[in-house]
Amino acid sequence: MFMPWEQLNNQLIGLKSTCAIARLLNRTMVLPLLGQRKPDSEISKNWDFSFQVMEFSWHSMYQYFDGDGLDTKLPCSTISLSNFNALSRHHAVKCQITLDRLVFNPVAKATAVNQIEDYYGRILGYDIGKVDDSFSRMSQLQDSQIRAYFGNEEAKVLALGAAFWMYGFGRTQPYPLTRYENYMDDADYARMVGALDVSKRLRDLAIKATQFVREEYGSKFLAIHVRRGDYWKKCNRIQDIALRAKCFPSDQTVRNIILHEASRMPASKKREKLVVYVATNPGEFQNVLNSLRPKIQVIYYQDVFKRLDMTAPLDSIEAALLDIELCSRADVFFGNIYSSFSRAIFEKRESKGLGFHTF
């Protein structure tokens, strides 16, 4: 099992790494909870890339993803958290689950031992022993390294900390990134992407949203992911100017891409303007594209999903997954090689036989 770390798509990258490690070690992966920042928390208002487990609310993966995919389609053996708890308590003293082997992975500055203690101890309610913090950063590990570290592990339950890109899938990404590293040629990785299909409710909403865009705005549409706000803090650390521009493309670069695609992509017969769906931080980027509106129909999340008839409100995980689903269905998509959100869209599109572009 592992501790989901950071934002949604980083948590899912950790799941893919843990699944690969479990398969290699002939272990069963316990499906984790998924976390979302509490909207009223102080960290949500002034986020500085820190990660505090207790600032998140935690939910079952089955709330968001197709249960059959989670149970039968991943390349590793899995067990739901509820079944793991039931089995473990049945064999435990006084029905209290105890974890004796917890491993801290200092994958980034935003990792700390107290995160593991909070997730396993305070969120999951387990008795925990001392956390092993003797490992240096475990990132993009190869099979031989995994076996050397954990191949002879005797503990029944191996509880990992952050597993973000802990497994390398046979390659190594440099940082700063110089290009998009495509993992979809790895059969197990591609199976994981396919298995992580959204729940029926979200899938139906994504289909409904795509139909709405095509009927309301135009039969063809371009989607683009533009990360703003807090992302500048990350990108500004990159010394190479050209690579920094890939991480945080300028407003003019984004406008130029849209105008270039407008010249290549014929507008819908229903509308004279090209339709562009922009996935971005709420409210921060919309004024930048106002100058395009005479020629381009620019739409955002609220222009689509706020207009759909929903039986229940969406939480932030559902909103993010629907954003990804809509972008994965666009006729053309541009995304950011540094963003795990864009990566999720790239991979969804590739699994459907669709292409994508990067800044």
Side-chain angles (χ1 to χ4, degrees):
M1 61 199 311
F2 75 103
M3 177 196 72
W5 176 75
E6 242 293 304
Q7 300 187 84
L8 172 65
N9 291 291
N10 288 1
Q11 295 176 39
L12 296 178
I13 289 171
L15 181 143
K16 292 168 187 169
S17 283
T18 305
C19 180
I21 292 169
R23 188 169 189 266
L24 184 65
L25 298 177
N26 197 28
R27 286 177 172 264
T28 296
M29 178 177 70
V30 181
L31 292 167
L33 299 177
L34 290 181
Q36 59 182 318
R37 282 190 177 81
K38 297 174 183 176
D40 58 346
S41 71
E42 205 53 43
I43 197 169
S44 291
K45 299 172 186 174
N46 303 291
W47 186 42
D48 59 357
F49 282 89
S50 63
F51 172 70
Q52 297 298 331
V53 168
M54 304 311 295
E55 292 281 356
F56 281 55
S57 57
W58 296 90
H59 311 272
S60 168
M61 285 196 72
Y62 292 89
Q63 180 176 332
Y64 306 104
F65 291 95
D66 177 70
D68 184 54
L70 296 175
D71 294 337
T72 68
K73 295 181 181 179
L74 286 164
C76 59
S77 172
T78 63
I79 184 172
S80 69
L81 185 63
S82 58
N83 284 343
F84 169 79
N85 287 342
L87 287 171
S88 299
R89 288 195 175 101
H90 178 73
H91 297 288
V93 177
K94 297 182 180 180
C95 295
Q96 179 60 45
I97 299 172
T98 300
L99 300 181
D100 295 318
R101 186 72 168 113
L102 297 98
V103 178
F104 172 61
N105 181 18
V107 70
K109 290 181 179 179
T111 52
V113 169
N114 74 286
Q115 296 166 1
I116 301 179
E117 295 169 339
D118 285 345
Y119 178 71
Y120 289 116
R122 299 175 68 182
I123 299 299
L124 298 185
Y126 302 155
D127 281 344
I128 59 175
K130 185 179 186 310
V131 176
D132 181 353
D133 60 358
S134 64
F135 288 87
S136 57
R137 183 173 184 253
M138 292 182 284
S139 179
Q140 305 176 81
L141 299 179
Q142 303 307 308
D143 291 5
S144 59
Q145 294 172 292
I146 295 292
R147 291 192 180 98
Y149 290 152
F150 306 115
N152 296 319
E153 179 60 59
E154 295 180 355
K156 187 174 181 180
V157 179
L158 175 61
L160 301 173
F164 178 72
W165 288 126
M166 185 174 175
Y167 187 69
F169 297 94
R171 67 206 78 190
T172 302
Q173 292 187 62
Y175 194 85
L177 299 176
T178 56
R179 59 184 172 79
Y180 174 67
E181 187 67 51
N182 192 336
Y183 291 84
M184 292 293 283
D185 59 353
D186 183 288
D188 285 342
Y189 190 94
R191 279 185 64 187
M192 294 178 204
V193 171
L196 292 173
D197 193 15
V198 294
S199 66
K200 184 181 184 302
R201 174 180 179 245
L202 294 182
R203 188 164 57 251
D204 289 347
L205 281 172
I207 293 170
K208 197 175 187 180
T210 306
Q211 292 173 339
F212 175 81
V213 170
R214 297 195 187 282
E215 293 171 3
E216 180 73 12
Y217 298 109
S219 60
K220 292 183 178 294
F221 70 100
L222 161 73
I224 188 167
H225 173 221
V226 183
R227 183 75 184 268
R228 285 297 188 254
D230 51 63
Y231 215 57
W232 173 245
K233 296 178 183 178
K234 172 180 177 175
C235 300
N236 194 38
R237 298 170 187 165
I238 299 173
Q239 298 301 310
D240 186 293
I241 295 175
L243 296 181
R244 190 191 308 155
K246 286 181 175 292
C247 183
F248 201 91
S250 69
D251 296 346
Q252 190 58 51
T253 294
V254 176
R255 285 191 289 261
N256 288 345
I257 286 172
I258 292 173
L259 289 171
H260 177 70
E261 288 302 310
S263 69
R264 298 174 64 248
M265 193 173 168
S268 150
K269 293 180 180 178
K270 184 178 179 180
R271 297 284 191 270
E272 294 182 359
K273 300 177 181 178
L274 173 68
V275 179
V276 180
Y277 178 78
V278 183
T280 190
N281 307 55
E284 293 188 5
F285 189 68
Q286 299 185 16
N287 292 337
V288 171
L289 300 182
N290 282 344
S291 62
L292 302 181
R293 287 189 180 275
K295 298 178 181 179
I296 310 290
Q297 177 71 54
V298 182
I299 58 174
Y300 300 90
Y301 178 90
Q302 67 270 19
D303 298 316
V304 179
F305 294 100
K306 298 292 186 182
R307 296 180 61 183
L308 296 183
D309 183 21
M310 298 189 192
T311 57
L314 299 171
D315 66 25
S316 64
I317 292 178
E318 291 169 324
L321 290 171
L322 284 173
D323 226 358
I324 290 168
E325 288 293 318
L326 184 56
C327 288
S328 73
R329 289 167 164 78
D331 296 280
V332 178
F333 176 70
F334 277 83
N336 189 325
I337 65 172
Y338 284 86
S339 166
S340 58
F341 181 92
S342 280
R343 171 175 286 279
I345 299 167
F346 295 155
E347 292 173 350
K348 280 249 178 208
R349 291 181 67 85
E350 186 162 354
S351 68
K352 297 174 183 178
L354 300 174
F356 54 86
H357 305 277
T358 63
F359 294 119

